[in-house]
């Protein structure tokens, strides 16, 4: 049902619903969780993913914890739940921003936690809308845009971050073309960004992760826009692994490189990118790949040499010197202007 509304995560009667992103683009399934543990596990296993959707899911998980906490151990219960939810995806700033807000409200009452969780989710969604409007000003007619990972409506509750300006440009009648990096190892570009762009009717092509510099060298890419998972106070930005090399290549070829993210992704307590904790994920994500066979069955196959180990850092950090600007719900800022919004 929510494919039409384009909402990735929502709540009704204290249940949390999310589009199961692990099944896309092969199956469209709504996952629902009855309690905070199930919601936390859905974040960890990436049933829902992307900075803003993780934030909304974490807010709802914290809300569920407050609603299910036994009266006699209420404070301990919500404290432990917060720790558990926060341990699911350590790099995603939105997750912590959400749990901190809803936990504070839960300390007053469970009802306040419910109110605050709804607020968190709708603010993330609103931010995406504004990011789209501001970012559209950077996209010219006939523009060819590169994006990495998935930072569309699936990743930000609604509207998206990096894809929001693309949707806005497309809906305002601009002729655009999107190069979507496949984004190994989880293939968020090939699976999710491509699915979203297909649904919206935006012209695009999936490119191998190692092809972006080639297209830049041919003069095919005018602008790069990616999302972010955590942005340090100086503008150093953690985003999906592979973002750093796109930013370096963009600088070499004189292509503007923008990060689109809501203010909730900025982390003023983290001074520089060196202090950002990078999530390490299972080597199985590199060694095995999932797809669909000719009979429509989802299959997982080993694609790497048996006996070899793999390393799987989920994010990298792009130093501020490679970033042209940040597209936020408050406007577009250069790294050296961030102090204006981070007071
Ligand atoms: O590991 P994921 O899929 O949760 O990765 C997060 C992301 O979607 C990206 O890094 C994205 O570019 C920023 S989130 C809108």
């Amino acid at each position: 049902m929510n494919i039409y509304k384009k909402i990735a995560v929502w709540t009704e009667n204290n249940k949390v619903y999310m589009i199961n992103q692990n099944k896309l683009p092969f199956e469209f399934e709504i996952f629902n969780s009855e309690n905070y543990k199930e919601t936390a596990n859905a974040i960890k296993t990436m049933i829902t993913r992307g900075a803003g959707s993780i934030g909304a899911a974490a807010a709802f998980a914290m809300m569920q914890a407050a609603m299910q906490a036994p009266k006699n151990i209420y404070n301990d219960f919500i404290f432990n739940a917060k720790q558990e939810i926060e341990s699911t995806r350590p790099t995603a700033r939105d997750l912590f921003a959400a749990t901190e807000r809803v936990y504070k409200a839960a300390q007053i009452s469970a009802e306040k936690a419910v109110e605050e969780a709804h607020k968190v989710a709708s603010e993330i969604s609103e931010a995406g809308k504004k990011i789209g409007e501001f970012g559209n000003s950077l996209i010219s007619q006939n523009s060819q845009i590169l994006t990495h990972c998935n930072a569309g409506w699936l990743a930000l509750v609604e509207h998206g971050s990096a894809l929001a300006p693309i949707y806005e440009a497309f809906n305002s009648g601009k002729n655009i073309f999107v190069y979507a990096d496949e984004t190994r190892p989880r293939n968020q570009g090939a699976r999710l960004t491509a699915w979203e762009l297909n649904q919206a009717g935006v012209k695009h092509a999936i490119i191998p992760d190692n092809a972006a510099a080639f297209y830049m060298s041919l003069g095919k890419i005018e602008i790069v826009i990616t999302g972010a998972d955590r942005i340090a106070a100086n503008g150093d930005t953690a985003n999906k692994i592979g973002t750093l090399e796109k930013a370096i290549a963009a600088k070499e070829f004189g292509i503007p490189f923008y990060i689109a993210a809501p203010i909730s992704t900025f982390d003023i307590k983290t001074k520089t990118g060196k202090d950002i904790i990078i999530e390490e994920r299972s080597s199985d994500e590199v060694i095995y790949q999932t797809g669909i066979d000719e009979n429509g069955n989802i299959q997982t196959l080993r694609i790497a040499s048996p006996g070899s180990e793999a390393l799987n850092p989920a994010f990298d950090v792009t130093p501020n010197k490679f970033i042209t600007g940040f597209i936020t719900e408050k406007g577009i800022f250069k790294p050296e202007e961030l102090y204006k919004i981070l007071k």
Side-chain angles (χ1 to χ4, degrees):
M1 55 181 162
N2 277 56
I3 188 171
Y4 301 111
K5 285 204 214 149
K6 294 192 176 161
I7 309 259
V9 188
W10 69 101
T11 183
E12 274 166 32
N13 303 324
N14 299 326
K15 266 195 188 182
V16 180
Y17 296 82
M18 40 193 97
I19 294 175
N20 188 340
Q21 299 190 40
N22 286 334
K23 297 272 172 88
L24 284 175
F26 312 121
E27 284 173 16
F28 184 82
E29 180 193 273
I30 306 292
F31 173 88
N32 70 72
S33 61
E34 304 268 351
N35 56 53
Y36 89 85
K37 278 189 186 285
E38 283 176 13
T39 307
N41 195 48
I43 298 171
K44 196 179 178 69
T45 58
M46 293 171 73
I47 287 173
T48 195
R49 49 141 298 284
S53 291
I54 290 174
F60 293 144
M62 201 62 239
M63 169 197 87
Q64 285 177 313
M67 293 302 283
Q68 70 185 90
K71 293 256 174 311
N72 56 335
I73 51 162
Y74 182 84
N75 285 333
D76 285 351
F77 190 95
I78 59 168
F79 177 80
N80 292 333
K82 178 173 183 281
Q83 309 291 109
E84 204 174 321
I85 299 161
E86 288 177 346
S87 69
T88 54
R89 303 286 315 265
T91 310
R93 171 61 198 153
D94 281 80
L95 186 156
F96 294 81
T99 50
E100 282 156 18
R101 277 178 63 176
V102 182
Y103 177 69
K104 211 166 159 200
Q107 286 175 309
I108 303 168
S109 71
E111 290 66 36
K112 289 270 176 229
V114 175
E115 245 172 64
E116 192 64 16
H118 280 89
K119 249 173 104 183
V120 168
S122 64
E123 283 174 22
I124 291 169
S125 150
E126 269 306 297
K129 192 164 181 328
K130 287 255 176 287
I131 287 169
E133 288 161 10
F134 284 117
N136 181 17
S137 66
L138 300 169
I139 298 177
S140 48
Q141 181 62 280
N142 302 321
S143 199
Q144 310 210 70
I145 306 147
L146 175 78
T147 191
H148 187 68
C149 194
N150 172 260
W153 64 267
L154 287 166
L156 213 87
V157 184
E158 203 183 353
H159 305 295
S161 52
L163 292 193
I166 289 169
Y167 290 137
E168 195 68 25
F170 176 74
N171 292 332
S172 65
K174 289 178 191 166
N175 177 36
I176 54 171
F177 185 88
V178 179
Y179 291 87
D181 285 334
E182 60 176 347
T183 319
R184 287 272 293 137
R186 296 282 296 220
N187 296 323
Q188 290 96 328
R191 293 177 61 148
L192 304 175
T193 298
W195 180 80
E196 278 196 33
L197 294 175
N198 251 326
Q199 299 286 321
V202 179
K203 282 185 276 178
H204 65 282
I206 300 160
I207 59 168
D209 274 341
N210 38 12
F214 170 68
Y215 285 109
M216 289 182 192
S217 75
L218 298 181
K220 297 256 185 206
I221 293 167
E222 271 136 53
I223 182 169
V224 184
I225 310 178
T226 77
D229 294 274
R230 189 180 289 256
I231 304 166
N234 71 342
D236 292 351
T237 297
N239 192 51
K240 182 54 55 195
I241 192 77
T243 304
L244 170 61
E245 61 191 43
K246 312 303 174 234
I248 296 170
K251 190 156 185 110
E252 173 65 22
F253 292 108
I255 299 164
F257 181 94
Y258 283 91
I259 296 287
I263 306 286
S264 51
T265 309
F266 289 81
D267 176 9
I268 37 168
K269 289 198 190 127
T270 297
K271 296 271 170 287
T272 75
K274 288 200 177 65
D275 301 319
I276 298 177
I277 296 167
I278 299 297
E279 177 186 354
E280 286 280 340
R281 295 188 62 87
S282 164
S283 60
D284 283 357
E285 293 182 349
V286 179
I287 291 169
Y288 295 91
Q289 286 290 285
T290 298
I292 194 164
D293 68 18
E294 66 275 16
N295 300 317
N297 300 316
I298 295 180
Q299 304 276 6
T300 298
L301 296 173
R302 185 178 179 110
I303 57 152
S305 172
S308 291
E309 275 303 311
L311 301 174
N312 188 13
F315 304 100
D316 55 29
V317 176
T318 299
N320 57 15
K321 66 177 177 183
F322 296 110
I323 298 169
T324 313
F326 294 88
I327 312 167
T328 76
E329 69 271 37
K330 303 251 185 248
I332 301 170
F333 301 90
K334 293 186 184 130
E336 60 275 21
E337 292 172 334
L338 283 181
Y339 69 92
K340 291 183 188 165
I341 47 166
L342 297 184
K343 279 182 217 134

